[in-house]
Amino acid sequence: MIRKMLAYAIGLMSLSYIFLVPDEPEVIKLVFKLIPMILILTYAFLLCPTSRQPKHSLLLLGLLFSMCGDGLMKWFVAGLSAFLIGHLFYTTSFIRQMRFSWPRAATLIPIAAYAGYMSIRLVHALQDSGQSGLIAPVLLYVTVISIMAWTAILTGNLYAVIGSLLFLASDSLLSWNMFVSDISHPDIWIMVTYYAAQFFIANSLREPSLSTSSTPHFPAKY
């Protein structure tokens, strides 16, 4: 019951931040930006089984560092670094949950192709705008989040897969809007995909033992 109420609260506070909270004063905007992540972190903590394993703690740390990244994005490199650390925790958690199959492994090809395309566009945009100093951290981040998405797919956990791909989409929209060209209604698209990504990743903590259908997985042949 508490988890269900938290899920509704996450949706309500996320939509409130995206559509209702004004940009000023900045501190109020930041507080409302962090509230959905605090709720998601609490929700994830309650989803953890009593006999918590390292994979659960690692994912919780990923959520925590993502929340830190939210608070630090005013300082781009600091926020990027916090999110990068969060992705490393996510990746380590997903590696511990991997259920290898060749079709899942083959998804590395489209993910690598997409990461390569984004990297080329971002490098050119950063060079053209005189921000070459950001090329190395941005490329490192693209690499890490792409690996995170691939390891999520290798788990076969549908929540993790959806969450990681939404995260990839959110950060792609953010970086494209910041460095390549403007997109329409960027804050809406970026934050809707971001909060949804974190909520799905949190839900990947659901254990099959809690409910026969609580953690959907792709069939083994996939």
Side-chain angles (χ1 to χ4, degrees), residues 6-210:
L6 270 173
Y8 285 124
I10 290 165
L12 177 62
M13 295 308 299
S14 298
L15 294 174
S16 296
Y17 169 76
I18 295 168
F19 293 105
L20 299 178
V21 179
D23 291 336
E24 299 293 340
E26 189 175 354
V27 65
I28 300 298
K29 183 77 170 177
L30 178 59
V31 168
F32 274 89
K33 183 182 184 182
L34 294 177
I35 288 174
M37 279 306 300
I38 294 171
L39 294 174
I40 290 171
L41 188 55
T42 305
Y43 178 79
F45 182 82
L46 293 176
L47 283 176
C48 288
T50 305
S51 55
R52 188 180 308 162
Q53 300 175 30
K55 64 181 182 181
H56 304 125
S57 298
L58 288 164
L59 197 139
L60 290 174
L61 285 169
L63 289 168
L64 178 62
F65 272 90
S66 291
M67 185 175 71
C68 293
D70 284 331
L72 294 170
M73 278 309 290
K74 181 179 179 180
W75 304 276
F76 179 72
V77 174
L80 191 74
S81 299
F83 275 116
L84 187 144
I85 294 170
H87 289 313
L88 290 175
F89 279 121
Y90 286 147
T91 300
T92 309
S93 175
F94 293 148
I95 287 172
R96 289 174 171 267
Q97 304 173 56
M98 285 196 307
R99 300 163 67 243
F100 183 85
S101 73
W102 284 112
R104 289 179 195 148
T107 60
L108 177 62
I109 297 172
I111 290 176
Y114 180 73
Y117 171 76
M118 286 295 296
S119 297
I120 291 170
R121 293 302 303 266
L122 289 171
V123 167
H124 288 163
L126 289 168
Q127 289 174 334
D128 293 343
S129 62
Q131 301 180 80
S132 297
L134 291 177
I135 290 176
V138 167
L139 289 182
L140 176 61
Y141 187 83
V142 171
T143 301
V144 170
I145 193 174
S146 298
I147 293 172
M148 184 276 290
W150 184 55
T151 55
I153 293 172
L154 289 177
T155 68
N157 183 309
L158 190 57
Y159 290 124
V161 174
I162 294 173
S164 66
L165 294 179
L166 282 171
F167 214 139
L168 189 61
S170 179
D171 279 359
S172 296
L173 291 167
L174 174 64
S175 58
W176 193 273
N177 186 67
M178 285 185 67
F179 303 121
V180 181
S181 65
D182 293 339
I183 61 175
S184 60
H185 309 295
D187 292 341
I188 294 175
W189 292 112
I190 291 166
M191 295 310 298
V192 165
T193 51
Y194 171 72
Y195 285 136
Q198 299 286 30
F199 183 69
F200 275 102
I201 289 174
N203 270 288
S204 72
L205 286 166
R206 292 179 179 273
E207 292 291 322
S209 58
L210 298 178

